[in-house]
Amino acid sequence: MILSGHASLAGVMGWPVAHSLSPRLHGYWLERHNIDGAYLPLPVRPEAFADAVRALAALGFRGANLTIPHKQAALALCDSLDPAAERIGAVNTLVFKDGNIHGRNSDAFGFIENLRQGAPSWRAEAAPAVVLGAGGAARAVIVSLLDAGAREVRLCNRTPARAEALARDMSGPVAWVPWEARAAALSGAGLLVNTTSLGMTGQEALDLDLDDLPTSALVADIVYSPLETDLLRRARARGHAVVDGLGMLLHQARPGFEAWFGVMPEVTPDLRAFVLKRE
Ligand code: ATR
């Protein structure tokens, strides 16, 4: 893409950032929609974060995505936060407009849009959801499930204090369950989501007996390396509909792209194949 003097600029700020799929993803959409714009990897150390954000705004960037370790630091820097960023307690999308820094969080949107695209017949209100993990990803997943109308969320985490704190923060029908009781918590569930790092390449496997999970339940993993985790493979073998973690990553990028470049892009099989084909 050859840029004009009017090109719209955005990027992803993280430390490190070299592993990020976002430049490839946004680059694909920019080309597909023939947009005069660029999306850059922006390696920024934690101590330089505030200066870097102000510099981007001063340079006329439209905004940026944020990844580890900047998502919480951004809360204090933004002039306004959208309700999702406030409830999740993290910002993954910055939009610079009228001299202000707006902080948003599109992870909850990404999670639920991916479920809707991958399993159109799933209904949040139909049956309880079981969420494994109590980190930032679990927060976004639970916010999205409550907004979608979930009537019961069972939250299981290795460290009970984190599960308890998260259940309390969410101010909705979220009950925490001890980690040891995770297999029994699957009884009657309509959705199981793994938000822990278990099953990721290089990490331990997720040790979870699926026997009590109704076969009608949808199983989602937010781990996307490998794309088919052991959990998803076992669930598929039992006849469950499954949704992998790459979809959430692709969908969470859509609102930022729209805010910076003016087009709401789609997640298509071609995009998935393109992003997976890296190096
Ligand atoms: P993120 O913000 O990406 O969700 P995180 O805050 O590091 O990342 O959360 C990782 C999650 O994986 C946590 O729920 C963590 O459990 P703890 O709260 O007990 O740390 C979970 N996790 C990581 N390794 C685990 C393990 N070996 N067994 C069980 N849970 C594990």
Side-chain angles (χ1 to χ4, degrees):
M1 164 68 70
I2 295 175
L3 302 176
S4 82
H6 303 283
S8 304
L9 302 176
V12 55
M13 237 186 232
W15 187 265
V17 85
H19 65 282
S20 173
L21 294 175
S22 294
R24 199 167 162 78
L25 164 58
H26 286 272
Y28 175 94
W29 283 329
L30 286 168
E31 201 157 301
R32 170 126 246 166
H33 294 285
N34 211 9
I35 290 170
D36 183 19
Y39 183 100
L40 308 170
L42 302 164
V44 174
R45 291 178 190 274
E47 58 274 21
F49 175 66
D51 285 346
V53 169
R54 293 197 187 98
L56 282 192
L59 286 164
F61 272 56
R62 298 295 178 102
N65 281 127
L66 302 179
T67 186
I68 292 169
H70 304 313
K71 286 175 151 193
Q72 275 89 29
L75 291 168
L77 202 68
C78 290
D79 299 302
S80 69
L81 294 174
D82 78 352
E86 218 151 313
R87 284 162 75 201
I88 296 168
V91 171
N92 75 345
T93 306
L94 295 176
V95 178
F96 305 142
K97 211 168 187 181
D98 307 325
N100 288 317
I101 302 171
H102 302 285
R104 302 184 182 181
N105 192 307
S106 61
D107 284 335
F109 170 90
F111 178 73
I112 211 77
E113 285 288 300
N114 185 39
L115 284 201
R116 294 207 166 117
Q117 188 172 22
S121 59
W122 174 82
R123 293 283 171 273
E125 65 281 7
V130 177
V131 176
L132 304 178
R139 256 171 205 273
V141 166
I142 294 173
V143 163
S144 77
L145 293 175
L146 295 177
D147 284 354
R151 297 207 187 107
E152 183 185 346
V153 177
R154 301 171 185 162
L155 171 58
C156 276
N157 192 54
R158 175 182 58 179
T159 308
R162 284 186 94 193
E164 201 179 348
L166 179 50
R168 198 175 342 105
D169 274 12
M170 289 288 114
S171 63
V174 182
W176 73 274
V177 178
W179 185 242
E180 297 68 35
R182 62 195 180 282
L186 303 179
S187 176
L191 172 69
L192 165 63
V193 190
N194 174 45
T195 77
T196 73
S197 47
L198 296 169
M200 200 182 279
T201 307
Q203 303 275 327
E204 284 170 55
L206 171 63
D207 176 16
L208 176 63
D209 183 343
L210 298 177
D211 282 356
D212 285 347
L213 187 66
T215 44
S216 56
L218 172 61
V219 178
D221 204 328
I222 68 150
V223 170
Y224 61 86
S225 176
L227 198 54
E228 181 164 85
T229 58
D230 176 62
L231 171 66
L232 295 186
R233 188 186 50 72
R234 289 192 295 126
R236 207 191 290 277
R238 294 182 88 239
H240 296 277
V242 303
V243 173
D244 68 43
L246 180 63
M248 177 179 179
L249 179 82
L250 302 180
H251 280 280
Q252 66 74 31
R254 294 170 56 211
F257 190 91
E258 183 184 32
W260 308 317
F261 302 117
V263 175
M264 186 60 155
E266 295 298 322
V267 172
T268 59
D270 274 2
L271 170 65
R272 278 179 65 94
F274 178 78
V275 169
L276 288 171
K277 223 168 42 196
R278 71 192 156 137
E279 281 99 31

